[in-house]
Amino acid sequence: MTHTADTIVVAVGGNALQPPGEQADIYDQFRHTRESLAVVVALAREGWQIVIVHGNGPQVGDALVRNEMALSAVEPLPVGVLVASTAGWIGYMIQQSLQNALTLNGIDRDVLTIITQSVVRRDDPCLKTPSKPIGNPLNAEEAKALKLRGEPVGKDGSGRLRRLCPSPDPYDVVESDAVRQLVHEGKIVVAAGGGGPPVYQDERGRLEGLDAVVDKDRTAAILGCKVGASTLIILTDVEGVYRGWNTDQKKLISRLSVSQAEELLAGDELGRGSMRPKVEAAVDFVRGGGKRGIIAELACGIEALRGETGTIITGELE
């Protein structure tokens, strides 16, 4: 795949739309969505070809709660279907909010949402070991009740109790060619929402869904390579990758080569928290032909693109 200099994949976490500890209703989530799109508007003004990938951890967890509360009235939906459902309505929020912002700024670009499917391996061992935190943080009583029902619960990267879900590694995106065509036509495309509902190919080549979730940053890296993006920027709630995180000596790492990032991943410094898959995704993207992977705070996306903040991962340091 030939990578173009002006195509970017912007990955935004589901927590940006529903911050931890906040019982955000749909109106709050629309407000947070509008607040999160300044970086995309700036990129559109500069003429970038743009793919937006969003997370859905809090939202798919809420959907599971609705499943449980409605058991006496309707049949529950499996997690894979809930991923597709949240990708649809979160995509709608982003699509509407961004279209309004572009119009307000005099930028003539179309925005659309595609439900994309992420291909995983049916025998992925991750399917047997739930590890991906979803939903809002739980108190001890809520966690105990879930465990008694046989639902997996564990701590996330910040030490909060959360529901856990199987999370197999993706290796392809079914609709990547369609996304690439639309992006190269100038459309801003919201795709791989929540990492995309996971599917596998059976022995006859048919796609079948799985009761699991996929890490959205990993899917963003794959989709970035497929559409020929030069840049992957992962926007999160911290400034970038740190050495000595959660210590008084923590220090931001501003630049890493792929080999340096892999050395960091080989150690225990990143733990098993949410930063590890972000670094892994950035490395995979650069290994796949992208020019740079950036991890930065949501409010500082443009500054990170200019190299003023965040962590930039490249093939070789200049």
Side-chain angles (χ1 to χ4, degrees):
M1 176 66 66
T2 300
H3 287 249
T4 57
D6 57 354
T7 303
I8 186 169
V9 176
V10 181
V12 182
N15 286 333
L17 314 182
Q18 187 173 335
E22 178 182 322
Q23 291 296 324
D25 62 24
I26 192 63
Y27 305 103
D28 291 324
Q29 292 192 60
F30 263 97
R31 174 172 55 83
H32 289 309
T33 299
R34 292 191 291 270
E35 293 168 350
S36 72
L37 293 173
V39 62
V40 181
V41 173
L43 290 168
R45 183 183 292 112
E46 293 178 5
W48 285 81
Q49 297 175 343
I50 304 167
V51 180
I52 302 171
V53 175
H54 63 81
N56 70 342
Q59 294 83 3
V60 79
D62 286 350
L64 284 171
V65 173
R66 294 187 186 97
N67 256 1
E68 293 158 1
M69 295 181 70
L71 277 174
S72 62
V74 294
E75 288 295 315
L77 295 173
V79 174
V81 173
L82 294 177
V83 171
S85 173
T86 55
W89 68 260
I90 295 173
Y92 158 66
M93 286 200 306
I94 294 172
Q95 183 174 317
Q96 183 190 99
S97 300
L98 180 56
Q99 196 74 71
N100 287 340
L102 293 173
T103 300
L104 183 64
N105 284 272
I107 302 170
D108 185 15
R109 299 279 292 274
D110 291 328
V111 187
L112 51 89
T113 300
I114 296 180
I115 304 299
T116 57
Q117 302 169 90
S118 296
V119 187
V120 304
R121 292 173 176 80
R122 183 68 182 90
D123 59 354
D124 190 317
C126 295
L127 289 167
K128 298 179 181 179
T129 309
S131 61
K132 180 71 173 177
I134 60 172
N136 289 306
L138 306 166
N139 59 39
E141 185 176 337
E142 291 168 332
K144 182 179 178 180
L146 284 173
K147 288 180 180 178
L148 287 173
R149 294 208 306 266
E151 299 289 340
V153 173
K155 292 183 178 180
D156 64 14
S158 299
R160 301 169 299 195
L161 290 168
R162 305 269 297 281
R163 292 171 180 261
L164 298 179
C165 189
S167 184
D169 290 335
Y171 67 88
D172 200 2
V173 176
V174 176
E175 297 82 5
S176 59
D177 285 346
V179 174
R180 182 175 184 271
Q181 179 178 340
L182 289 165
V183 168
H184 287 193
E185 289 174 0
K187 307 293 192 294
I188 299 175
V189 181
V190 184
V199 298
Y200 70 94
Q201 281 192 320
D202 66 15
E203 62 279 0
R204 298 172 63 181
R206 297 176 303 188
L207 296 174
E208 295 287 346
L210 285 167
D211 204 21
V213 298
V214 175
D215 184 86
K216 69 101 175 37
D217 297 318
R218 293 184 183 278
T219 308
I222 292 168
L223 189 57
C225 292
K226 290 284 185 176
V227 303
S230 66
T231 303
L232 166 66
I233 183 166
I234 300 172
L235 299 174
T236 183
D237 57 357
V238 295
E239 191 175 353
V241 183
Y242 284 83
R243 293 194 185 277
W245 178 248
N246 282 335
T247 72
D248 293 337
Q249 289 76 41
K250 71 177 184 180
K251 183 178 180 181
L252 178 69
I253 306 171
S254 59
R255 293 184 71 87
L256 286 167
S257 67
V258 165
S259 58
Q260 289 172 332
E262 289 174 332
E263 288 178 11
L264 188 64
L265 289 167
D268 297 327
E269 195 161 5
L270 295 182
R272 304 306 305 175
S274 61
M275 187 54 70
R276 176 173 288 272
K278 291 174 171 53
V279 175
E280 290 172 339
V283 168
D284 288 346
F285 175 71
V286 176
R287 287 287 191 207
K291 181 179 178 182
R292 56 182 176 162
I294 303 172
I295 300 169
E297 190 173 5
L298 175 63
C300 302
I302 292 298
E303 292 84 354
L305 283 167
R306 293 197 295 254
E308 298 170 2
T309 185
T311 300
I312 300 176
I313 298 174
T314 58
E316 296 294 338
L317 292 182
E318 298 176 357

